[in-house]
Amino acid sequence: MDNKDNLMEKIVSLCKRRGFIFQSSEIYGGFGSCYDFGPLGVEMKNNIKKSWWDEMTKLHENVVGLDASILMASEVWKASGHLTAGFSDLLVECKTCHKRFKTDEVKEKPPTRASSVGGRCPECGGELTKAQLFNLMMKTFVGPVEEKASSVYLRAETCQGIYVNFLNVLDSMRLKVPFGICQIGKAFRNEITPGNFIYRVREFEQMELQWFCNPKEADKLFNYWKEERLKWYEKLGVKKENLRVVEIPEKERAHYAKRQVDIEYKFPFGWREIEGVHNRGDWDLSNHAKYSGKDLKYFDEVSKEKYFPYIIETSVGVDRIFLMFLIDAYQEIPGGRTKTTESKKEVEIFLKLHQSLAPVKVAILPLVKNKEELVKKAKEVYQSLRPCFICQYDEVGSIGRRYRRQDEIGTLTSVTVDFQTLEDDTATLRNRDTMTQIRVKIPELKEKIQEI
Ligand code: GAP
């Protein structure tokens, strides 16, 4: 495969060309580090979310869902530690070009909070200011008149909505510890160094599970959930050699974590975190109890103990793993897989996405577009399959070129309506991965595709 920059460029280009991802506000020159998911992107993103949701709520016992609001009382963020140093970066500003950098991006002797003496601007070599704390939370206003309105924060992690609903969920669902609450939703961070396409952005989606347990069981359950998460990636076909687990030492952990492991993926730009597994101890519930004045302890009827449950958290960004799935599935085949005369000089792109993630499941292709009966029949097939699968109808270009177009977006199967169809009401069904073609009676297509 190409060098790493080239691969990222190709992924970005594929995303735009085939309707996966567009730059936000592109017609206005683009809005930094925000992206829009196009027609195929939204399908694939929904597939990722559905796979995670089903995994959590259907394949694990005692896990229920929640959809909390993005805006919350500001006290939530005081209690969580996000408005204090726990969620801030130390930054310096260049006095010449006015760009800001994290202190650890300044190569030699970065300035400190006490002194600006030290390294120079990594971009222009200018003098730098003293280091200052910069909070990553985004602020907005609630109320009709800005001056009188109260300022609130866009949530920086979805899990706080779960903690503040701990009692509501516990009581309404008559749950007993251990149990889990999972949630998918938007989070916002004023990242200082966004980049690598959708890897680090300022608006993103998280999928988080908060597992409430007896403190005595926390270590065991931490390992359990770490393994469960790894299994999910492997189930979705992510190459094992591209995944690893890194234990985070105490001084580098998030402010709430007693223990933290990062699940990392080998991106073209290096090994990077895709998911965090945290033992948050009683950090969140005890602080919310303190700030809200509510009793958030749990009474265990069997052991007669009363305690703050410990929280084991699994937290992953949808956008980040969207990029991971694309990179992991991306293949280039010089001359194409079918090696037709037409494709010989071309490099075929083949997106071998897991079947549950592929945005399009079926392509319906009339063999030629200038034969009225064929086109009519293909359109009938398309209409009959549309309610069951995400389908694409395509009649433009040679059949080989159309197969390649579908391979480029990872379409699972293609149904070709040809001259024989008009005689015996069968069509060919092509399997993306094996490229085998079988003839199937049109009324049986739905069942056959479901089997695949
Ligand atoms: N509730 C815990 C928490 O938020 P985190 O390690 O800060 O932990 C968890 O974030 C996951 O959220 C990360 O592993 C990553 O997948 C995703 N994430 C965090 N910041 C992100 C960003 N700026 N852009 C995209 N995804 C991000």
Side-chain angles (χ1 to χ4, degrees), residues 326-341:
L326 280 184
I327 291 170
D328 214 63
Y330 186 91
Q331 295 181 17
E332 281 182 353
I333 298 153
R337 292 192 298 158
T338 41
K339 308 269 185 275
T340 58
T341 1

Side-chain angles (χ1 to χ4, degrees), residues 142-201:
V142 170
V145 186
E146 199 174 294
E147 304 89 74
K148 290 190 186 149
S150 52
S151 61
V152 291
Y153 296 90
L154 302 183
R155 66 182 176 197
E157 55 175 7
T158 54
C159 55
Q160 295 300 328
I162 294 182
Y163 308 142
V164 298
N165 278 295
F166 169 68
L167 283 185
N168 287 336
V169 177
L170 181 75
D171 295 343
S172 60
M173 302 305 287
R174 287 177 286 114
L175 292 163
K176 290 199 176 11
V177 166
F179 71 92
I181 305 178
C182 66
Q183 178 171 221
I184 301 177
K186 288 266 188 182
F188 302 83
R189 293 183 192 176
N190 213 349
E191 295 284 2
I192 315 305
T193 47
N196 285 322
F197 193 32
I198 54 168
Y199 177 81
R200 188 181 303 281
V201 279

Side-chain angles (χ1 to χ4, degrees), residues 87 156-159 163 189 191 198-202 204-206 208 210 256 260 262 273-276 278 280 313 315-320:
F87 202 60
E157 55 175 7
T158 54
C159 55
Y163 308 142
R189 293 183 192 176
E191 295 284 2
I198 54 168
Y199 177 81
R200 188 181 303 281
V201 279
R202 296 202 170 105
F204 53 98
E205 263 184 294
Q206 286 188 316
E208 299 198 305
Q210 310 299 317
Y256 46 73
Q260 174 177 347
D262 287 349
E273 174 195 343
I274 49 165
E275 172 154 2
H278 309 124
R280 298 180 69 125
E313 167 184 67
S315 174
V316 51
V318 182
D319 314 68
R320 219 169 251 196

